[in-house]
């Protein structure tokens, strides 16, 4: 890994900085005074993220829109937590890996379970290690007209 120095964002002290292409961050800095901090990617390196809108909730059956499909907590319970947790639509197979906007590729999960799924995917890195699988946009169940 590439090691260099950079001023600490809090105190300006010259601190060791290391690029971290293996993470979602640009790099990490270790200030002798403030300790470890993550440095975000410069704006020209950030990729645009498309928010999944509420229209994806319509893919789920009506009686299955008010709870997390992973932990089974209800919308009311999630709202009562501090801080509040919201329900989100999640692509089972991400668009960048061939997933499509279809009811068989979307599930309703709470924000905590959604984050856990993506952390697990980063750890396992399963999409890069699987070979010989047909692209999901050609999957018969995801392309049938209904």
């Amino acid at each position: 890994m590439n090691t260099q120095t950079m001023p600490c964002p809090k105190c300006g002290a010259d601190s060791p900085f290391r690029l971290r292409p293996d993470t979602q961050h640009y790099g990490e800095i270790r200030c002798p005074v403030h300790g470890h901090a993550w440095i975000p990617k410069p704006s020209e390196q950030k990729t645009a993220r498309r928010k999944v809108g509420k229209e994806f909730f319509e893919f789920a059956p009506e009686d299955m829109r008010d709870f997390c499909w992973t932990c089974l907590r209800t919308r009311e319970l999630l709202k009562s937590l501090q801080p509040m947790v919201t329900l989100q639509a999640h692509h089972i197979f991400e668009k960048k890996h061939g997933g499509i906007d279809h009811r068989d590729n979307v599930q309703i999960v709470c924000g905590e379970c959604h984050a856990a799924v993506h952390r697990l995917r980063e750890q396992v890195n399963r999409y890069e290690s699987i070979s010989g699988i047909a692209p999901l946009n050609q999957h018969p169940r995801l392309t049938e007209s209904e």
Side-chain angles (χ1 to χ4, degrees):
M1 297 224 179
N2 187 9
T3 305
Q4 48 192 312
T5 60
M6 169 180 222
C8 172
K10 293 182 181 175
C11 67
D14 218 18
S15 306
F17 171 75
R18 186 168 62 149
L19 292 175
R20 292 294 305 268
D22 57 323
T23 69
Q24 65 185 4
H25 307 285
Y26 177 67
E28 64 181 329
I29 191 167
R30 296 209 180 257
C31 174
V33 177
H34 297 102
H36 176 269
W38 290 106
I39 305 296
K41 291 181 179 178
S43 57
E44 65 273 2
Q45 290 187 9
K46 290 183 180 177
T47 55
R49 287 190 57 169
R50 182 180 66 87
K51 283 278 197 187
V52 175
K54 291 187 183 228
E55 68 272 10
F56 287 99
F57 276 77
E58 295 174 12
F59 286 138
E62 198 168 324
D63 62 340
M64 296 181 73
R65 296 180 190 169
D66 289 325
F67 64 92
C68 174
W69 295 9
T70 302
C71 68
L72 304 177
R73 292 182 291 182
T74 63
R75 184 184 303 268
E76 290 75 32
L77 175 64
L78 293 168
K79 282 183 179 179
S80 70
L81 298 175
Q82 292 298 323
M84 182 178 77
V85 179
T86 59
L87 288 173
Q88 302 171 357
H90 165 67
H91 281 97
I92 298 166
F93 293 98
E94 294 176 282
K95 302 264 301 190
K96 67 182 177 182
H97 295 292
I100 59 174
D101 295 336
H102 189 274
R103 68 178 177 85
D104 288 338
N105 192 39
V106 174
Q107 66 181 159
I108 307 302
V109 294
C110 70
E112 292 174 344
C113 290
H114 199 180
V117 167
H118 286 281
R119 279 194 310 270
L120 181 61
R121 284 184 178 173
E122 285 177 14
Q123 252 185 347
V124 175
N125 210 6
R126 63 187 301 162
Y127 295 112
E128 293 178 3
S129 64
I130 296 175
S131 61
I133 295 177
L136 292 169
N137 57 5
Q138 295 174 14
H139 190 286
R141 188 161 180 212
L142 300 180
T143 55
E144 289 177 3
S145 59
E146 296 178 13

